């Protein structure tokens, strides 16, 4: 089954404790990205990757890191999480850049205390 | 700058009623893509449809239909004979291939509540 898989689905952690949210897609998609969804602010792009070893900042990259060492994986790293990073996070992938629909994972709900 | 406006924040209907969700977009580009996504209570984002700026044909898929009107910059979505399972938040989104990041610009979403 074609899918984007995120882990964990839910996480409660404390300020400053490094965490990684994994994202993996099995569709051989070139393009991957991360969004966060917040009440009143909607969905905003954090980082994106057009292909292996190619990543760039989205609209709200502060406090996050990403890497794209393999085509299928695009982890989101919070080196020193803070409470303002409490949010619902989505990973997405698409076949290519531009006109292809982005397919989203099921989301990861992070709570930073 | 791109912008997507979904003026209706919440719509409540009784099962079997039709419901139309409005979406108005702004972009300076002549080539762009429009999407609708559904976010059910379980939280995932489900892709429903894509439309490119050169294709103004309306589309029907089962009980769903979409009306794209370039002249009014609108891409409205109708659910016919709504069902309880249609209860969700629906997002309209815009993608401009020329913009950095292939970013989807989302509207604020319309919450649809279908009552039995």
């Amino acid at each position: 089954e074609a899918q984007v898989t995120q882990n964990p689905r839910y996480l409660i952690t404390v300020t400053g404790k490094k965490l990684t949210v994994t994202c993996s897609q099995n569709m051989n998609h070139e393009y991957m990205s991360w969004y966060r969804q917040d009440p009143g602010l909607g969905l905003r792009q954090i980082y994106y990757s057009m292909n292996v070893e190619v990543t760039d900042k989205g609209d709200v990259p502060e406090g996050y890191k990403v890497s794209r060492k393999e085509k299928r994986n695009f982890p989101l790293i919070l080196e020193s999480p803070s409470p303002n990073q409490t949010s619902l996070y989505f990973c997405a992938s698409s076949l290519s850049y531009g006109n292809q629909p982005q397919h989203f994972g099921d989301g990861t709900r992070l709570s930073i205390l | 700058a791109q912008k997507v406006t979904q003026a209706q924040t919440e719509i409540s209907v009784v099962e079997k009623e039709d419901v139309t969700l409005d979406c108005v977009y702004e972009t300076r580009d002549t080539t762009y893509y429009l999407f609708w996504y559904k976010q059910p209570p379980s939280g995932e984002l489900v892709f429903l449809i894509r439309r490119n700026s050169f294709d103004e044909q309306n589309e029907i898929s089962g009980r769903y239909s979409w009306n794209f009107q370039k002249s009014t910059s609108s891409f409205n979505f109708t659910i016919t004979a709504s069902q309880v399972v249609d209860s969700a938040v629906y997002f309209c989104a815009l993608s401009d291939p020329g913009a950095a990041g292939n970013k989807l610009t989302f509207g604020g979403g319309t919450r649809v509540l279908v009552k039995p």
Side-chain angles (χ1 to χ4, degrees), chain B residues 4-115:
Chain B
V4 177
T5 302
Q6 295 179 253
Q8 307 145 307
T9 55
E10 185 165 326
I11 300 175
S12 182
V13 298
V14 176
E15 208 169 19
K16 297 185 182 175
E17 288 184 342
D18 297 348
V19 55
T20 295
L21 311 181
D22 298 331
C23 172
V24 174
Y25 61 91
E26 295 176 27
T27 179
R28 294 180 180 177
D29 298 286
T30 56
T31 301
Y32 51 88
Y33 301 90
L34 296 161
F35 304 84
W36 276 94
Y37 285 85
K38 174 182 179 180
Q39 187 173 39
S42 49
E44 69 271 25
L45 279 165
V46 179
F47 164 71
L48 296 178
I49 190 172
R50 175 193 67 178
R51 175 65 74 231
N52 72 52
S53 53
F54 298 103
D55 181 3
E56 291 195 64
Q57 281 190 341
N58 293 331
E59 181 156 341
I60 298 174
S61 176
R63 295 183 297 104
Y64 294 171
S65 62
W66 291 269
N67 181 9
F68 175 36
Q69 292 196 339
K70 205 168 178 179
S71 59
T72 56
S73 297
S74 65
F75 186 40
N76 296 337
F77 172 32
T78 297
I79 303 172
T80 302
S82 60
Q83 300 176 0
V84 173
V85 293
D86 296 325
S87 296
V89 180
Y90 292 86
F91 292 95
C92 180
L94 170 68
S95 173
D96 163 20
N102 193 33
K103 179 182 65 177
L104 282 171
T105 299
F106 285 87
T110 299
R111 182 179 300 277
V112 173
L113 177 60
V114 182
K115 299 177 182 176

Side-chain angles (χ1 to χ4, degrees), chain A residues 28-31 50 93-102, chain B residues 102:
Chain A
N28 203 36
H29 284 173
E30 288 188 352
Y31 178 90
M50 293 172 65
S93 73
S94 63
L95 186 60
S96 62
Y97 182 94
N99 64 342
Q100 298 298 316
Q102 294 186 37
Chain B
N102 193 33

Side-chain angles (χ1 to χ4, degrees), chain A residues 67-107:
Chain A
S67 68
R68 187 93 182 273
K69 294 184 172 56
E70 307 164 282
K71 199 171 188 178
R72 61 183 295 127
N73 295 324
F74 190 44
L76 179 70
I77 303 157
L78 286 72
E79 294 270 3
S80 183
S82 62
N84 64 11
Q85 292 178 298
T86 292
S87 186
L88 177 58
Y89 291 85
F90 288 99
C91 179
S93 73
S94 63
L95 186 60
S96 62
Y97 182 94
N99 64 342
Q100 298 298 316
Q102 294 186 37
H103 298 273
F104 287 80
D106 288 344

